[in-house]
């Protein structure tokens, strides 16, 4: 395709998913509330930026995924498309990019990034709360599955951050410090790490504990049954680590809060 065909193909795809497409490269007013896409040809390249001036992550992600479906991606202006390792959504968040034919670089499963894993953790947290409150169909095995999956999703967010190409993410050593640095680590995240790894390997291997207690574990599960129509089953769990006992639901709330606080402090949420 030539440059004009690339521009027109991108315009058609973005208009189809609800973007207001403009054909001028004059910057619209920042107060413009409508999500839009400005597509134009400049210096022999098809270029794109989103409006308003500071687009949301959701808008950038939808635009990137839509373009990917049309076998297009966005690279930084002047970058070699064959060498660019920046996801289209991040280019669009930063400003103007060049539209080229091809696939997104370095994408994870199903084209997902760290934000998708963060949302997966939040959904897992909701499902765990449902098991605890009785707002869940299924028995104790289903409840326990939800419990174990929550700690896996919460700890695995670390690896998604470390392997993402979002340029705003701090260095990997800073992410890892949440679990290993004596001064900067977060106790509830260290617990999430031990519980996840204990599930993964059936038990923690000696010397691998992030909390310093290789016996960190889910120590009990209980259920309260309330007869009626329907029958309600409320599940409870406790974790023991370092001589302390933790209510799992309170712990899960604290883990989500800790991740959100860290991400917000770094302008990632």
């Amino acid at each position: 395709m030539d440059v004009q065909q690339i521009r027109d193909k991108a315009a058609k795809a973005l208009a189809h998913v609800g973007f207001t497409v403009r054909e001028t490269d004059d910057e619209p007013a920042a107060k413009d509330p409508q999500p839009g896409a400005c597509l134009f040809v400049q210096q022999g390249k098809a270029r794109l930026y989103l409006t308003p001036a500071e687009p949301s992550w959701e808008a950038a992600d939808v635009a990137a995924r839509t373009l990917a479906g049309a076998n297009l991606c966005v690279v930084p202006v002047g970058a070699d498309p064959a060498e660019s390792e920046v996801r289209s959504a991040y280019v669009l968040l930063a400003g103007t990019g060049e539209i080229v034919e091809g696939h997104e670089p370095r994408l994870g499963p199903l084209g997902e990034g760290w934000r998708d894993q963060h949302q997966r953790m939040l959904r897992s947290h909701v499902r765990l709360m449902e098991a605890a409150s009785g707002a869940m169909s299924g028995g104790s095995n289903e409840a326990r599955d939800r419990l174990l999956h929550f700690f896996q999703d919460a700890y695995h967010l670390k690896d998604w951050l470390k392997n993402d190409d979002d340029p705003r993410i701090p260095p990997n050593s800073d992410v890892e410090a949440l679990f290993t640095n004596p001064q900067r680590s977060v106790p509830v995240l260290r617990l999430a790490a031990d519980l996840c790894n204990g599930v993964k390997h059936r038990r923690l291997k000696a010397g691998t504990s992030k909390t310093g207690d290789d016996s960190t574990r889910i120590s009990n599960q209980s259920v309260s049954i309330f007869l009626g129509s329907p029958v309600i089953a409320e599940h409870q769990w406790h974790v023991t680590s370092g001589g302390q006992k933790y209510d799992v639901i309170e712990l899960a709330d604290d883990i989500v809060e800790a991740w959100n606080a860290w991400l917000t402090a770094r302008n990632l949420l």
Side-chain angles (χ1 to χ4, degrees):
M1 289 186 293
D2 62 28
V3 172
Q4 189 62 46
Q5 289 174 319
I6 290 175
R7 183 251 170 240
D8 292 345
K9 186 176 184 180
K12 182 178 180 180
L14 292 171
H16 183 71
V17 295
F19 283 86
T20 300
V21 176
R22 296 174 172 83
E23 297 186 9
T24 173
D25 61 350
D26 294 330
E27 182 71 36
K31 64 181 180 180
D32 184 354
Q34 294 299 116
C38 181
L39 294 106
F40 55 99
V41 175
Q42 187 178 71
Q43 297 179 346
K45 301 289 185 180
R47 296 187 175 178
L48 163 68
Y49 63 78
L50 300 182
T51 60
E54 295 184 1
S56 67
W57 164 259
E58 289 73 16
D61 188 47
V62 168
R65 292 177 186 273
T66 300
L67 293 173
N71 195 34
L72 300 172
C73 64
V74 184
V75 300
V77 172
D80 182 345
E83 296 183 0
S84 176
E85 295 186 341
V86 182
R87 289 179 61 191
S88 295
Y90 300 142
V91 177
L92 294 173
L93 279 177
T96 302
E98 293 181 352
I99 312 171
V100 298
E101 293 184 88
H103 300 288
E104 286 268 23
R106 297 176 57 192
L107 289 181
L110 303 177
E112 292 188 338
W114 73 263
R115 286 177 176 269
D116 298 286
Q117 180 62 21
H118 176 256
Q119 290 296 313
R120 188 173 295 114
M121 176 191 71
L122 297 182
R123 292 192 299 271
S124 190
H125 180 237
V126 169
R127 289 192 290 268
L128 178 59
M129 297 303 106
E130 290 173 346
S133 67
M136 176 199 79
S137 60
S140 292
N141 287 337
E142 169 67 19
R144 192 170 183 85
D145 287 348
R146 295 185 182 205
L147 168 72
L148 302 183
H149 277 294
F150 169 75
F151 291 114
Q152 292 171 343
D153 290 336
Y155 182 53
H156 289 163
L157 179 55
K158 177 199 73 167
D159 293 317
W160 282 74
L161 285 162
K162 290 173 63 177
N163 288 290
D164 203 294
D165 59 335
D166 186 338
R168 300 167 302 162
I169 296 174
N172 284 353
S173 58
D174 287 0
V175 180
E176 195 66 45
L178 283 166
F179 301 86
T180 59
N181 186 288
Q183 285 76 43
R184 296 160 57 194
S185 63
V186 180
V188 294
L189 295 183
R190 294 201 307 267
L191 277 167
D194 279 4
L195 293 166
C196 173
N197 286 328
V199 171
K200 178 181 178 180
H201 302 290
R202 195 181 72 82
R203 62 183 179 185
L204 284 172
K205 296 180 180 178
T208 64
S209 170
K210 303 297 185 185
T211 63
D213 181 0
D214 293 335
S215 68
T216 297
R217 67 193 186 281
I218 299 167
S219 53
N220 72 288
Q221 172 174 300
S222 60
V223 59
S224 300
I225 304 294
F226 299 90
L227 299 178
S229 182
V231 174
I232 296 175
E234 297 180 351
H235 291 82
Q236 301 89 36
W237 302 269
H238 288 92
V239 166
T240 55
S241 178
Q244 297 188 55
K245 190 174 184 179
Y246 301 85
D247 176 84
V248 158
I249 301 307
E250 293 177 2
L251 175 60
D253 290 344
D254 291 343
I255 289 170
V256 170
E257 183 178 344
W259 266 126
N260 286 346
W262 188 86
L263 293 167
T264 299
R266 286 149 185 83
N267 297 316
L268 291 168
L269 285 184

